[in-house]
Amino acid sequence: MTAIELDALAWPQVRSEIEAGRDTVVLALGATEQHGYHLPLATDALLGDHLARALADRLDAFLGPTLRVGCSEHHLGFAGTMSLSEDTFHAVVGDLVRSLSRGGFRRIVLVPTHGGNFAPLAAAVAKLDQPERVTALTDLGVLLQIAQLGEREYGVPLSEGGVHAGEWETSLLLAIHPELVRMEHAEAGFTGELQDAIAGMFAEGGVASLSPIGAIGDPARASAEHGERYWSRAVELALEQIEASAPAQQGARAERSG
């Protein structure tokens, strides 16, 4: 199965595909924000492009365009970072879902690839008139599972895996866009306990209060090989969440139509 790029088709082609049964669309919700000295501002959006395409391939779905600005308030102050307020993000998600629903899509899969989008996405979905059409991956624990995989299989301590521009995120980008990773500039940022890192990132002062360079973790052990393994697991975890939500969504649609 191969994903179809939504924005590459004319609208009658999209309608024909939907009428033929391809009524699922996958969209990633990324960010444009700092990622230390060695990763580009587009990191989360690029990861979103890749993950959404992999999921759309597996689901025989449309691939929608990635939302390239997210909730990055905790990164503001680093040059180039852009952010939406949570209220604006909620409105954008709501408008996107309503637009796609009116066009005929019956299932809309929303995939955040920036940590700051997970909780706002859950809140946005809770406000929707027809949430049963939406599968939103809002479990931030998925990121921790990737870090734990690095520790278990490659001996990368969780403190080095980190949660932002550390070993696993750098490895993910090395696997798909090595030309954009500047490993010669890579430096360790905050390498304390992950729970302290997560709490500190979203506290007053944001990431800069923990790490003046913007990294939470140490990218030194990152590699494309690690990244390929992490991608494999990330896609598995996302598909598991999508499949787990299907029965509940079907029940909700049946209840609404009844």
Side-chain angles (χ1 to χ4, degrees), residues 2-253:
T2 303
I4 295 180
E5 294 185 12
L6 177 67
D7 55 5
L9 300 184
W11 76 264
Q13 294 174 294
V14 176
R15 182 182 62 186
S16 294
E17 290 288 342
I18 292 173
E19 289 175 349
R22 193 190 298 249
D23 57 5
T24 295
V25 60
V26 182
L27 287 84
L29 308 174
T32 297
E33 64 180 31
Q34 70 80 24
H35 275 77
Y37 288 162
H38 64 296
L39 296 181
L41 298 175
T43 293
D44 290 341
L46 295 169
L47 300 181
D49 294 340
H50 187 80
L51 180 57
R53 181 177 293 278
L55 294 175
D57 282 343
R58 297 283 288 273
L59 296 170
D60 195 24
F62 279 92
L63 172 65
T66 296
L67 182 64
R68 307 189 90 77
V69 181
C71 296
S72 300
E73 183 77 20
H74 49 298
H75 292 283
L76 289 180
F78 291 96
T81 294
M82 295 189 286
S83 183
L84 302 177
S85 70
E86 292 198 10
D87 286 342
T88 300
F89 184 83
H90 296 167
V92 169
V93 170
D95 286 346
L96 291 174
V97 169
R98 280 188 289 273
S99 300
L100 292 165
S101 295
R102 286 190 62 179
F105 285 102
R106 300 191 66 221
R107 181 167 64 161
I108 301 159
V109 180
L110 301 177
V111 185
T113 51
H114 159 54
N117 289 346
F118 280 74
L121 177 58
V125 171
K127 295 180 178 181
L128 295 175
D129 293 333
Q130 294 182 308
E132 68 274 5
R133 288 181 180 259
V134 176
T135 299
L137 309 187
T138 58
D139 181 7
L140 191 60
V142 168
L143 303 183
L144 179 58
Q145 290 189 58
I146 300 300
Q148 290 171 331
L149 177 63
E151 182 178 53
R152 185 170 63 251
E153 295 194 5
Y154 300 117
V156 179
L158 292 179
S159 60
E160 293 183 19
V163 292
H164 190 74
E167 188 275 339
W168 61 264
E169 189 168 31
T170 301
S171 293
L172 288 173
L173 201 62
L174 279 170
I176 60 172
H177 285 292
E179 75 282 3
L180 298 179
V181 180
R182 303 168 180 86
M183 286 303 292
E184 69 275 15
H185 298 302
E187 291 187 20
F190 177 84
T191 55
E193 295 293 327
L194 287 191
Q195 295 303 319
D196 293 338
I198 293 170
M201 286 175 68
F202 296 104
E204 185 175 355
V207 172
S209 66
L210 289 173
S211 172
I213 72 168
I216 308 293
D218 184 349
R221 304 194 204 197
S223 71
E225 177 188 357
H226 291 187
E228 292 289 350
R229 176 69 179 103
Y230 299 158
W231 274 121
S232 175
R233 184 57 179 148
V235 171
E236 288 176 359
L237 289 168
L239 286 171
E240 287 171 7
Q241 290 189 28
I242 292 168
E243 290 167 2
S245 69
Q249 288 180 313
Q250 291 168 358
R253 282 196 290 266

Side-chain angles (χ1 to χ4, degrees), residues 250-258:
Q250 291 168 358
R253 282 196 290 266
E255 182 177 331
R256 182 180 286 269
S257 62

